Amino acid sequence: MNGYSDLLKTHRFSRRSLLGGMSVGAALASTPSWARGGNIAQDQPIRVGFDELRGDVIDLSVGSGRRIVEGRRSMGVAVNGTVPGPLVRLREGQNVRLNVTNQLKVDTSIHWHGLLVPFQFDGVPGISFPGIAPGETFAYEFPIRQSGTYWYHSHSGLQEQQGHYAPLIIEPKDGEPVKVDRDYILLLSEFTPLNPYFIMSRLRTGEGYFNRQLSSWTDKYPMNAAERRMWAEMRMMPTDIADVSAPTYTYLANGRGPKEGMEYLFRAGERIRLRLINGGAMTFFNVRIPRLPMTVIAADGQNVRPVEVDELQIATAETYDVIIEPGNAEAYAIVCESMDRSGMALAMLASRPGARAQVPALRDPPLLTMADMGMNHDEESGHGDHSSMDHGTAPKASSHDMAGMSMRDTSLLPPDVEIGPGLDMVSMAPVDKTGDPGLGLRDVPHRVLNYRMLSALEPNKDVREPSRLLELHLTGNMERYMWSFDGRMFTSLDDEPLRFAWNERVRVKLVNNTMMAHPIHLHGMFFEVVNGQTPAHQPRKNVLVVQPGASASFDLTANEPGDWAFHCHLLYHMHGGMMQVVTVVGPGEGS
Amino acid sequence: MKSSFFIGIGLTALILPSAAFAQHAGHEGHGEPTETASPAHVNADDPHAGHGSMDHSAMDEDVSPGPLSETPAPPEAGSGPPRAADQIWGTDMMAHARHKEHGKHGNFPVLWVQADRFEAQLRQGNNSFLWDLQGYYGNPTSKLWLKSEGEGEFGEGVEDAEIQALWSKAVDPFWDLQLGVRQDVAGPSTTHAVVGLQGLAPYMFEVDAALFLSHRGDVTARIEGELEQRITQRLILQPRAELVLSAQDVPQLDIGSGIDKVELGVRLRYEIIREFAPYVGVEQTWHVGNGADFLRAKGKDPSTTNYVVGIRFWF
């Protein structure tokens, strides 16, 4: 029970504000006035790290400037002069007016990721509003109907890659259910010296352009010659884990590179809430704190029953809140490896400024397996005789296994999928893999989070049986870098939205016919992941990862009228066509 | 330390329905809630239990399988394009915004230019040069594709050169059908209609095959294949083969009917950056049949071995 006194002692100084930690040196530096919002001139340097804004009226300004990360430079896009942009801290039940001024030479926008808002304030140009023209100020106005950890970012062009993202926290109106001594934000993202349009163009023209871990005669991948021939025969790359990665990217923790000393102070025995936000454009991070378990208490802003793990994979655009209780060590490393293990974002839990823990080396890069192609014989049962397929831990399938199998048997697809050059693979036997901890984490010797471990803390209000099934196929062509739903790429002139009747309860099944994991994001509503929990406790999320060659389902109560974006949250996949509009008809508006 | 955590859990529990907490307590330390699903929810009579589309784990037993087949949206879901924002921001404003977004998402075009071979060919006696360029502008499935190949001896000017302008249409995930014209700009001026197929064959062979019909009615064909063998991330071995076929003798172009020319080469390049790679290599060319005779008649050797030095670049 001495925990109580510790808790009270530390409460005083640590609750002063909810800061994203601080870097050595920068902690004492005074903030220049220009960085406090308002005008930033084109050639001004962008400051690293974020301030905090709260209140009923919040002014945000989007501008451009120079960024330097670990000596590498680029032009960036910043909100109020910082990357990440300022923490917007709100309170459930308040009304907020957010005035967003565009100081760029091109249109901008802000999408409030995960927030329940009237659709016209959702911030997607061409779908929810016209966008914010240069020099214009747009006022977003809406009541705050929820609480939790969220973020906001541009939905215009590729500005998100350039730094236009920031955390957003909403305090529950009845107080936090979990008491902590410190409350920290860890926003993960990437920095690149390259122009994002150059990246997009190279993804279309240069196969594997950003991958420095391609298979070669001298690699150390555990593949034999037959396996290598099989991949070549299929014209696929088993190393295709991330389309863009290090060294093109430097992975960032609250805007800081791994050598830039991001640190969070703690005292032994304290309980710390760490709000993990993946604000990256293209990266899944594997997050672990060696010697320190993490108790997950929220996913995508919504509370879940506490579940203790040693590592978790956070997909692009997901958020997880975890509780950690550092012990007597001087420091702990928060290690956030990119899924392809080309690099890491890094932060330290430090018992005194400057304390450092040893950082483990990057683990070996993972490889795609036959299971990631949708070959799932006995995949989940674990006792089948096709030992080569089990758990997808090693690509042991021989070319013999491929005999007579088609990588693209389009007869397996429903008739509403358009079959064309944009579809290079059809998953042979897609199974639900919400129990998959993610590429590279299937065989680690410790506890890893997966979706089946998530269970909603507060019961869901709508537990009706879904009245219909909507099956959507995630489709693509890696070689041409085309991405689509049901074989059709998005243009905002797309006149065939996914339509839902008012308050309709629908099960949406996503089938991944590609060899990449796609984090599919629905705007404006939470859905409940069909993960084996009872309907009342299926976890509410707004991003759902569909593993390669697999399926995943969610139940949706369509009760937020309007048009909503629905897309893969990998920025270049969305830009490459994997986007759709969801239309929810308002009460009494139906035909 | 640990105790304060449990205090936290205790506080959490106070505001939770007790059942929820009880279930959670049952999971403590397992980290696998799905394995301890309450047996009370299992419906043994459920015909779908264990037979649904997701019958691969025990977890399905206590949840409904949901609807098993896809059905259309009800009429209450409405119809037509998504235009909710038009009512709020105005039809014109939204049409303008949609127009601006159109072309940015999905099918937007890119430009690509490549010199696959840009080299000096060294052999005893006469040294020559060769270029093999191509480029396109277009979206992933429809492109304007330009190609140019040519060669000549140093000091003697261009001997042989052609330009092709093709419309390239994706007909398969890995293959483009190409239709257009080829103009020979060195040697006897000849115009050809072109039908070609370019793409990636199984085992990662890059293939460019084309059939040419000249304005004089001659039919010829050319098949090129390349393979990229990565030795390291930057050092790449590229074997290459080319086959020229002809339906008839074309003496003014030194082409003989049947198999006219076979070319086999291998190039080793080092990618300083992906876009720029110097290379060295060796290439053997055989002219056979009547084509070889045409060359011999001109005092040329129908079989040549070249050592090549060049750069491969693209942007």
Side-chain angles (χ1 to χ4, degrees):
Chain A
M1 289 296 122
N2 54 1
Y4 258 123
S5 54
D6 275 357
L7 197 147
L8 290 172
K9 260 189 284 177
T10 55
H11 196 77
R12 187 168 26 86
F13 72 84
S14 61
R15 286 292 293 175
R16 61 192 178 203
S17 72
L18 187 137
L19 283 174
M22 54 193 72
S23 78
V24 188
L28 298 172
S30 63
T31 306
S33 57
W34 57 262
R36 285 288 180 193
N39 184 49
I40 61 165
Q42 289 290 322
D43 56 348
Q44 288 277 19
I46 288 170
R47 194 161 54 90
V48 176
F50 48 83
D51 305 318
E52 180 176 329
L53 299 171
R54 53 171 85 205
D56 295 337
V57 179
I58 290 171
D59 294 327
L60 298 171
S61 165
V62 182
S64 67
R66 285 181 284 123
R67 283 178 81 188
I68 303 177
V69 172
E70 294 186 354
R72 298 206 293 173
R73 292 157 189 276
S74 81
M75 288 304 287
V77 175
V79 183
N80 287 13
T82 64
V83 173
L87 162 64
V88 169
R89 190 165 168 76
L90 303 170
R91 195 167 178 82
E92 185 181 5
Q94 77 166 94
N95 289 306
V96 69
R97 181 186 167 95
L98 296 135
N99 300 310
V100 180
T101 302
N102 182 6
Q103 297 183 339
L104 299 172
K105 289 174 180 150
V106 294
D107 282 12
T108 194
S109 56
I110 291 183
H111 163 59
W112 315 97
H113 186 109
L115 262 61
L116 303 171
V117 297
F119 82 91
Q120 66 269 29
F121 295 124
D122 189 50
V124 183
I127 296 175
S128 41
F129 81 139
I132 310 172
E136 210 178 78
T137 298
F138 181 85
Y140 292 85
E141 242 178 323
F142 45 84
I144 300 301
R145 301 189 266 150
Q146 64 198 111
S147 63
T149 303
Y150 303 95
W151 62 301
Y152 61 93
H153 60 84
S154 172
H155 228 288
S156 299
L158 302 172
Q159 292 166 6
E160 192 191 323
Q161 176 80 87
Q162 295 175 289
H164 187 328
Y165 48 78
L168 189 153
I169 307 294
I170 307 171
E171 297 166 4
K173 60 176 184 289
D174 302 322
E176 292 287 355
V178 180
K179 295 285 178 260
V180 293
D181 303 306
R182 296 172 191 261
D183 196 333
Y184 286 132
I185 292 169
L186 173 51
L187 192 156
L188 300 167
S189 62
E190 317 108 346
F191 167 84
T192 173
L194 301 179
N195 182 308
Y197 286 96
F198 175 85
I199 293 177
M200 185 79 236
S201 163
R202 284 300 186 262
L203 286 168
R204 280 248 155 111
T205 56
E207 176 80 344
Y209 182 87
F210 299 102
N211 192 340
R212 286 287 172 199
Q213 300 176 155
L214 294 164
S215 55
S216 71
W217 290 4
T218 55
D219 69 41
K220 295 189 172 61
Y221 288 117
M223 287 191 291
N224 62 33
E227 286 156 5
R228 288 167 194 265
R229 270 199 304 278
M230 181 200 69
W231 284 100
E233 183 192 354
M234 295 185 300
R235 295 164 281 191
M236 304 257 171
M237 297 193 301
T239 54
D240 194 8
I241 309 293
D243 292 346
V244 191
S245 57
T248 304
Y249 282 158
T250 302
Y251 298 106
L252 305 180
N254 290 3
R256 295 183 175 85
K259 294 174 193 154
E260 292 180 324
M262 178 65 213
E263 78 179 22
Y264 302 93
L265 293 176
F266 76 94
R267 282 199 202 167
E270 283 180 334
R271 301 185 69 223
I272 297 172
R273 178 180 193 149
L274 191 58
R275 298 171 187 258
L276 300 168
I277 301 169
N278 188 345
M282 289 298 277
T283 308
F284 286 39
F285 290 96
N286 297 331
V287 180
R288 71 191 200 274
I289 310 173
R291 295 173 294 140
L292 209 54
M294 302 178 282
T295 302
V296 178
I297 57 165
D300 289 359
Q302 299 292 296
N303 292 329
V304 295
R305 289 166 172 164
V307 53
E308 191 176 288
V309 296
D310 299 305
E311 184 162 14
L312 63 85
Q313 186 168 92
I314 182 168
T316 312
E318 285 186 318
T319 76
Y320 283 109
D321 291 28
V322 301
I323 299 287
I324 48 176
E325 289 186 278
N328 290 318
E330 260 222 314
Y332 296 87
I334 307 175
V335 180
C336 312
E337 277 179 341
S338 66
M339 182 163 64
D340 73 337
R341 286 153 185 180
S342 60
M344 65 168 76
L346 184 65
M348 286 289 163
L349 286 162
S351 58
R352 57 173 172 78
R356 291 289 176 267
Q358 196 186 345
V359 179
L362 288 166
R363 294 171 291 187
D364 290 337
L367 284 171
L368 295 170
T369 71
M370 301 308 291
D372 298 313
M373 233 173 285
M375 290 174 66
N376 290 297
H377 313 290
D378 309 305
E379 164 66 19
E380 302 286 300
S381 63
H383 51 68
D385 50 7
H386 286 57
S387 57
S388 59
M389 304 298 172
D390 283 346
H391 310 297
T393 50
K396 296 230 180 69
S398 69
S399 52
H400 169 76
D401 291 304
M402 287 299 295
M405 291 188 185
S406 167
M407 282 292 300
R408 190 174 179 267
D409 180 358
T410 53
S411 69
L412 296 172
L413 295 171
D416 56 350
V417 176
E418 191 174 300
I419 294 156
L423 175 77
D424 66 7
M425 180 189 124
V426 177
S427 183
M428 285 171 232
V431 296
D432 180 280
K433 281 194 195 161
T434 47
D436 187 343
L439 286 169
L441 297 183
R442 294 161 180 171
D443 52 2
V444 293
H446 53 235
R447 296 165 299 173
V448 187
L449 185 72
N450 67 58
Y451 283 159
R452 289 186 193 163
M453 295 158 79
L454 298 176
S455 174
L457 183 63
E458 301 90 2
N460 296 315
K461 292 189 183 80
D462 189 354
V463 294
R464 287 177 294 165
E465 267 288 277
S467 60
R468 68 176 165 107
L469 175 72
L470 173 65
E471 186 174 306
L472 286 171
H473 284 254
L474 313 183
T475 44
N477 182 326
M478 192 65 216
E479 183 74 14
R480 297 179 192 272
Y481 214 73
M482 298 166 73
W483 300 103
S484 51
F485 283 110
D486 282 350
R488 282 179 284 267
M489 291 198 286
F490 178 78
T491 71
S492 47
L493 297 176
D494 198 309
D495 285 344
E496 292 173 57
L498 302 168
R499 288 191 156 273
F500 295 95
W502 171 246
N503 214 28
E504 193 185 6
R505 181 97 173 135
V506 179
R507 175 157 299 179
V508 178
K509 181 180 180 184
L510 301 167
V511 181
N512 189 347
N513 294 286
T514 79
M515 297 200 59
M516 303 209 81
H518 299 283
I520 303 297
H521 172 48
L522 174 64
H523 286 222
M525 284 168 278
F526 286 100
F527 49 70
E528 297 114 49
V529 180
V530 178
N531 68 340
Q533 304 289 340
T534 57
H537 290 285
Q538 290 182 158
R540 293 181 290 279
K541 283 185 104 276
N542 56 57
V543 176
L544 175 63
V545 176
V546 192
Q547 298 294 344
S551 75
S553 302
F554 62 76
D555 289 341
L556 175 71
T557 300
N559 59 5
E560 297 287 341
D563 292 338
W564 304 100
F566 180 62
H567 60 90
C568 177
H569 219 291
L570 297 175
L571 184 63
Y572 300 100
H573 285 195
M574 177 181 81
H575 216 69
M578 197 179 270
M579 180 150 165
Q580 240 298 20
V581 178
V582 159
T583 293
V584 177
V585 171
E589 281 177 34
S591 59
Chain B
M1 289 136 241
K2 206 70 187 169
S3 60
S4 64
F5 173 73
F6 285 110
I7 290 164
I9 293 294
L11 292 172
T12 309
L14 290 177
I15 63 156
L16 295 181
S18 58
F21 180 69
Q23 189 163 2
H24 165 250
H27 302 150
E28 193 63 54
H30 294 289
E32 265 293 358
T34 56
E35 288 177 358
T36 54
S38 162
H41 294 271
V42 177
N43 181 355
D45 296 324
D46 185 345
H48 302 301
H51 298 287
S53 57
M54 299 189 295
D55 59 350
H56 298 269
S57 74
M59 70 131 189
D60 295 305
E61 289 173 34
D62 68 336
V63 294
S64 87
L68 289 176
S69 59
E70 205 176 2
T71 44
E76 300 80 48
S79 58
R83 294 288 184 268
D86 290 18
Q87 316 303 315
I88 290 160
W89 307 113
T91 308
D92 292 348
M93 286 282 276
M94 285 309 295
H96 181 62
R98 276 190 289 272
H99 180 72
K100 272 205 271 192
E101 292 298 304
H102 182 56
K104 282 191 202 166
H105 284 94
N107 228 17
F108 59 87
V110 292
L111 174 73
W112 174 79
V113 176
Q114 184 204 50
D116 187 34
R117 292 179 297 157
F118 190 76
E119 66 195 21
Q121 301 193 327
L122 315 173
R123 60 179 174 271
Q124 282 198 323
N126 309 324
N127 295 336
S128 57
F129 57 86
L130 176 143
W131 75 84
D132 177 2
L133 312 170
Q134 59 177 331
Y136 64 69
Y137 178 79
N139 65 43
T141 54
S142 184
K143 299 176 170 87
L144 171 66
W145 205 304
L146 300 174
K147 299 177 184 179
S148 176
E149 270 188 64
E151 56 189 322
E153 288 183 6
F154 285 112
E156 311 231 334
V158 176
E159 215 168 79
D160 209 358
E162 65 174 53
I163 298 169
Q164 294 184 41
L166 307 163
W167 175 69
S168 189
K169 178 76 185 165
V171 290
D172 172 275
F174 297 100
W175 294 98
D176 273 23
L177 175 69
Q178 302 184 327
L179 302 172
V181 292
R182 161 184 152 190
Q183 179 65 43
D184 294 352
V185 291
S189 174
T190 311
T191 306
H192 309 255
V194 185
V195 182
L197 205 56
Q198 183 164 359
L200 191 65
Y203 298 101
M204 304 298 271
F205 286 98
E206 284 173 41
V207 175
D208 182 358
L211 197 65
F212 305 101
L213 171 65
S214 82
H215 71 278
R216 289 182 288 266
D218 301 321
V219 176
T220 55
R222 187 159 65 206
I223 303 162
E224 298 174 43
E226 282 179 1
L227 191 61
E228 307 230 314
Q229 289 288 304
R230 233 173 277 107
I231 297 170
T232 69
Q233 297 298 312
R234 291 177 186 276
L235 192 64
I236 293 158
L237 192 69
Q238 186 197 51
R240 181 177 181 282
E242 182 176 330
L243 191 64
V244 174
L245 307 168
S246 179
Q248 66 289 300
D249 286 342
V250 192
Q252 64 265 55
L253 300 177
D254 300 333
I255 291 173
S257 71
I259 295 175
D260 174 65
K261 189 175 88 164
V262 179
E263 209 170 82
L264 287 177
V266 61
R267 288 168 177 76
L268 181 68
R269 72 171 188 262
Y270 183 79
E271 289 186 347
I272 295 169
I273 55 171
R274 287 253 194 259
E275 294 89 341
F276 187 85
Y279 63 81
V280 294
V282 61
E283 189 161 72
Q284 171 67 40
T285 306
W286 296 276
H287 287 270
V288 293
N290 292 342
D293 295 337
F294 296 140
L295 287 172
R296 278 191 207 97
K298 290 187 179 174
K300 289 183 180 172
D301 190 348
S303 166
T304 51
T305 305
N306 292 319
Y307 296 95
V308 303
V309 182
I311 49 171
R312 181 184 188 270
F313 62 90
W314 61 278
F315 57 85

